[in-house]
Amino acid sequence: MTSGHQSSGLQAGLKNRHLSMIAIGGVIGAGLFVGSSSGIATAGPGILLSYALVGTLVVLVMRMLGEMSAANPTSGSFSAHADRALGRWAGFSIGWLYWFFWVVVLAVEATAGAKILEGWIPAVPQWGWALIVMVVLTATNLVSVGSYGEFEFWFAGIKVVAIGAFIVVGALAVFGVLPGVHSDKAGLDNLTGHGGFLPHGPGAILTGVLLVVFSFMGSEIATLAAGESENPQRAVTKSTNSIIWRIAVFYLGSIFVVVCLLPWNDPSIKDKGSYVAALDSLGIAHAGQIMNFIVLTSVLSCLNSGLYTASRMAFSLGERGDAPKAFARTTSRGVPMAAIVASVVFGFVAVFFNYKFPDSVFLFLVNSSGAVALFVWLVICFSQLRMRRIIQAEAPEKLVVRMWLYPYLTWATAALIVFVLAYMLTDTEHDGRETVLLSLLVAAVVVAIAVVRQKVLGTGRAAVGDTVPADAGHETGKVKTG
């Protein structure tokens, strides 16, 4: 089995326990801890509806991606599917946009982690910590895919246990059965007691959607990682089927606990962050430091996965001839070294911009990659519409995961994503309009490059690209036999 992998370069170094943790951990980004406070301030308890709406969207998109990836698991995931279903330009564009998104995330997360570490050990300057964190995780990723999986297993494990404990303790306090805690503010009446469930009106639900949508990015990592697992089809099917409870428990469960423990307009939510404020209200000692530790773990996990994801997307683009050929070369341990190093170098450049020009260059990077998540989801919708017909015609037995109510639900999901993007254009208060316009600008540039390349390279080259996935993908055909 490994010999099949060898010829495609990547190796099956991820165990099943790694994959299930990568799937769970991918959903819990630092954005959940850090970004939820502004959402609560904007929409009040109604933020639960915003999370539910985005959660539903993610479940539907992941279902479509699961259908395509179970039939054809590849490290290029949705970029490779788009290449086949919509044309070479689509795979090229969405692959590079996704890579760009994660490289900017690397800088954002490295800075967030550096802030926490500097608070603990001020002797090392913040940029020094950012450098240390990036170097350590780069080393982990360069050793082998197994070491990435092992790190992620523990990082994600800590996050999962922490959020689980938070939900249990918080729920006990809300229902008044937690001994030794005198929380006079906790209770279900916080959901409606302070200006109602929707204190700022129903429109705030949509504004809330814009604020929380970015903390859901990462749920697709499991389908990329499946290409390096021992049983890709099983891994994809499992992670697709479990996404519903993961989002319900970790997102809706923990946010529900936060808005029940404290009135949504409690000033401490904005000052300390929603989770720290919630723990503080229970009188738990050192709540802030405990939460900082958990956020740091999330940040490291996000960095670790971001580096992995960016490098595998670059590897896949290299393999399809849409990126420098060097990106598709791997070491004897199956690690795409050039792809990892290139991603890290860009990450470092972004970190530099963050310290040197935080309000100009870096802000541009963050805003111009902000809506990429929504573009990726939209491309997945359109790819699945075509891909279902291709799979049914060529290998119907590979449809082990099926999108519900096809094609109607796929169209409805695409419409909802377009609606969210359009609504963002009306949002001047939270940079929504700027994010969409800048992201569209960057996307337009990338698509233009893709179209020009395709014209210049001519039909011959594109035709070659089309025939590759016909035998179920670059590496998959080989992996399957194992």
Side-chain angles (χ1 to χ4, degrees):
M1 169 177 146
T2 341
S3 62
H5 267 282
Q6 223 63 81
S7 51
S8 85
L10 298 177
Q11 289 177 9
L14 291 175
K15 301 185 173 73
N16 282 328
R17 68 181 173 91
H18 290 158
L19 266 168
S20 43
M21 268 305 176
I22 288 168
I24 295 173
V27 186
I28 313 168
L32 174 61
F33 302 112
V34 185
S36 52
S37 44
S38 56
I40 292 171
T42 305
I47 193 69
L48 282 166
L49 296 179
S50 308
Y51 273 104
L53 200 64
V54 181
T56 307
L57 198 61
V58 172
V59 167
L60 293 171
V61 170
M62 288 309 296
R63 186 83 193 171
M64 297 176 219
L65 184 55
E67 174 181 297
M68 297 186 289
S69 295
N72 175 16
T74 159
S75 57
S77 188
F78 50 83
S79 166
H81 304 321
D83 190 310
R84 175 116 204 261
L86 306 174
R88 185 111 190 252
W89 65 274
F92 174 94
S93 311
I94 207 65
W96 277 112
L97 283 170
Y98 189 69
W99 178 84
F100 171 57
F101 171 84
W102 277 110
V103 173
V104 175
V105 167
L106 289 182
V108 175
E109 300 287 344
T111 311
K115 272 188 185 139
I116 295 174
L117 288 163
E118 190 197 23
W120 289 342
I121 307 172
V124 180
Q126 213 182 54
W127 63 265
W129 277 121
L131 197 68
I132 293 168
V133 165
M134 294 273 274
V135 169
V136 170
L137 290 175
T138 305
T140 312
N141 270 274
L142 283 173
V143 174
S144 70
V145 66
S147 71
Y148 154 71
E150 202 55 44
F151 256 72
E152 196 45 42
F153 178 76
W154 292 105
F155 283 154
I158 293 172
K159 284 193 294 198
V160 170
V161 170
I163 291 198
F166 174 80
I167 293 173
V168 172
V169 172
L172 291 174
V174 169
F175 295 110
V177 286
L178 191 64
V181 166
H182 308 293
S183 178
D184 48 341
K185 294 177 176 174
L188 291 174
D189 49 349
N190 278 335
L191 289 174
T192 51
H194 306 269
F197 185 63
L198 291 169
H200 298 310
I205 299 173
L206 283 173
T207 315
V209 164
L210 310 185
L211 293 173
V212 303
V213 73
F214 307 112
S215 61
F216 278 89
M217 218 22 193
S219 34
E220 66 295 313
I221 293 176
T223 63
L224 278 119
E228 289 175 84
S229 70
E230 281 146 11
N231 187 339
Q233 196 171 33
R234 178 171 167 259
V236 169
T237 310
K238 237 179 101 174
S239 71
T240 306
N241 290 336
S242 64
I243 185 111
I244 300 179
W245 70 259
R246 297 201 312 259
I247 286 177
V249 172
F250 297 125
Y251 278 85
L252 292 171
S254 65
I255 296 288
F256 175 77
V257 167
V258 171
V259 291
C260 286
L261 283 177
L262 284 168
W264 66 272
N265 51 7
D266 192 304
S268 65
I269 291 185
K270 253 204 150 119
D271 300 342
K272 303 175 186 170
S274 40
Y275 288 80
V276 177
L279 285 176
D280 264 349
S281 74
L282 297 177
I284 292 175
H286 310 297
Q289 290 307 331
I290 296 171
M291 212 59 219
N292 269 342
F293 173 71
I294 296 166
V295 172
L296 181 66
T297 321
S298 297
V299 163
L300 295 176
S301 155
C302 202
L303 264 173
N304 197 25
S305 284
L307 193 50
Y308 171 80
T309 312
S311 63
R312 291 321 186 262
M313 189 52 84
F315 168 83
S316 174
L317 286 164
E319 219 181 20
R320 285 177 274 146
D322 287 338
K325 270 278 171 268
F327 284 5
R329 289 196 201 106
T330 54
T331 65
S332 57
R333 290 181 167 176
V335 174
M337 193 190 270
I340 291 177
V341 172
S343 304
V344 175
V345 168
F346 268 89
F348 276 132
V349 170
V351 169
F352 167 75
F353 283 143
N354 192 4
Y355 286 110
K356 205 80 182 132
F357 315 105
D359 299 328
S360 51
V361 185
F362 190 67
L363 194 66
F364 169 79
L365 288 178
V366 171
N367 282 339
S368 61
S369 64
V372 166
L374 292 161
F375 298 162
V376 167
W377 296 348
L378 203 53
V379 166
I380 291 172
C381 292
F382 291 128
S383 301
Q384 191 261 337
L385 285 168
R386 288 253 7 238
M387 208 60 174
R388 166 70 74 94
R389 297 205 292 275
I390 295 174
I391 301 168
Q392 268 173 335
E394 289 176 5
E397 74 282 357
K398 287 189 176 168
L399 274 174
V400 281
V401 175
R402 283 172 179 266
M403 175 59 184
W404 308 295
L405 296 176
Y406 168 86
Y408 310 108
L409 206 46
T410 305
W411 279 111
T413 309
L416 185 59
I417 297 169
V418 171
F419 174 72
V420 170
L421 282 166
Y423 186 78
M424 281 176 83
L425 288 172
T426 66
D427 172 50
T428 45
E429 194 186 341
H430 303 99
D431 295 339
R433 172 180 294 180
E434 204 174 339
T435 301
V436 174
L437 292 175
L438 286 175
S439 299
L440 281 171
L441 174 73
V442 171
V445 170
V446 175
V447 171
I449 294 171
V451 172
V452 169
R453 271 185 88 249
Q454 203 165 332
K455 283 220 168 24
V456 171
L457 292 169
T459 45
R461 181 69 191 84
V464 177
D466 285 346
T467 53
V468 179
D471 64 349
H474 316 291
E475 52 225 77
T476 337
K478 300 156 189 157
V479 181
K480 281 281 165 56
T481 54

